[in-house]
């Protein structure tokens, strides 16, 4: 069975990504569930750094200028299905278990789980790499403590990703002109 494809319809244009259900089923199933329930609809990119990445997925960022953007996640204790079994997001912040199994590097166009740096602290937030950020690879402990598993790759529309990556931002890396995710659909 082929991996699912996510279509990201933003106010700047559309891009699509393959979601690595075959190698990171827990992470990919969490993402697909959030997409299918409309969790990401109307959420803004809250952190954009030219020459680095685009961060997205905090529910507080439905307000493009929310001061607490980057601190939210899925509903604590909520569930989703992965391979026929139910996974429960943690009861405190809605985080999912780390899935450090595939050694795909944080190359341009890859989708990677954002987290606090602590184990099992990812939930709904992720980033799209615009350059090769190998220092974020979970399997390279010689490069730093951050562990960010890659769960997808942009297959069309990298020009849109790069356009978003060039957005003018404030001192908090928040785009001055808000960039919103209209919808993410899974096929």
């Amino acid at each position: 069975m082929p991996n699912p494809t996510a279509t990201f319809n933003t106010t700047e244009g559309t891009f699509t990504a393959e979601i690595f259900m075959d190698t990171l089923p827990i992470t990919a199933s969490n993402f697909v569930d959030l997409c299918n329930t409309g969790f990401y609809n109307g959420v803004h990119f809250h952190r954009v750094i030219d020459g680095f990445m685009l961060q997205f997925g905090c529910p507080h960022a439905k307000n493009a200028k929310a001061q607490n953007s980057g601190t939210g996640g899925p509903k604590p204790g909520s569930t989703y299905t992965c391979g026929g079994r139910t996974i429960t997001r943690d009861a405190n912040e809605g985080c999912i278990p780390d899935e450090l199994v595939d050694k795909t590097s944080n190359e341009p166009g890859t989708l990677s789980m954002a987290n606090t740096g602590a184990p099992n602290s990812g939930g709904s937030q992720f980033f799209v790499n615009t350059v090769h950020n190998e220092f974020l690879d979970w399997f390279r402990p010689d490069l730093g403590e951050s562990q960010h598993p890659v769960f997808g790759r942009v297959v069309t529309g990298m020009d849109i990703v790069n356009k978003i990556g060039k957005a003018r931002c404030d001192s908090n890396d928040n785009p001055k002109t808000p960039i919103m995710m209209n919808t993410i659909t899974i096929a």
Side-chain angles (χ1 to χ4, degrees):
M1 181 172 184
N3 281 329
T5 301
T7 300
F8 299 78
N9 177 357
T10 79
T11 53
E12 294 296 314
T14 300
F15 62 96
T16 60
E18 176 187 4
I19 305 304
F20 299 156
M21 190 70 73
D22 58 343
T23 55
L24 275 87
I26 294 170
T27 306
S29 294
N30 175 65
F31 173 75
V32 167
D33 175 71
L34 293 171
C35 292
N36 286 340
T37 59
F39 180 89
Y40 294 120
N41 298 351
V43 174
H44 295 84
F45 287 88
H46 67 271
R47 188 170 175 230
V48 173
I49 302 175
D50 188 17
F52 182 29
M53 59 84 213
L54 325 173
Q55 190 167 340
F56 173 80
C58 176
H60 302 309
K62 284 199 176 210
N63 171 351
K65 301 300 177 184
Q67 294 299 309
N68 59 347
S69 289
T71 64
K75 180 180 176 186
S78 58
T79 62
Y80 63 98
T81 303
C82 174
R85 65 185 179 122
T86 299
I87 305 284
T88 302
R89 297 178 180 102
D90 92 2
N92 295 321
E93 297 179 333
C95 298
I96 64 170
D98 286 337
E99 194 170 22
L100 306 176
V101 294
D102 180 61
K103 293 186 177 181
T104 300
S105 188
N106 280 273
E107 297 173 352
T110 54
L111 281 60
S112 192
M113 284 300 293
N115 60 49
T116 66
N120 305 312
S121 61
S124 60
Q125 295 184 51
F126 64 94
F127 54 93
V128 183
N129 291 291
T130 58
V131 297
H132 191 188
N133 293 313
E134 69 178 4
F135 67 96
L136 297 175
D137 292 344
W138 70 266
F139 53 90
R140 293 288 306 271
D142 60 309
L143 295 175
E145 294 182 13
S146 269
Q147 298 188 332
H148 301 276
V150 170
F151 69 94
R153 180 181 313 276
V154 173
V155 293
T156 64
M158 194 63 190
D159 58 324
I160 301 300
V161 169
N162 289 328
K163 178 181 176 184
I164 295 169
K166 296 290 185 188
R168 290 187 42 208
C169 295
D170 64 21
S171 61
N172 293 318
D173 303 317
N174 188 295
K176 288 185 176 186
T177 301
I179 302 169
M180 186 176 73
M181 187 66 64
N182 298 315
T183 59
I184 304 176
T185 54
I186 302 295

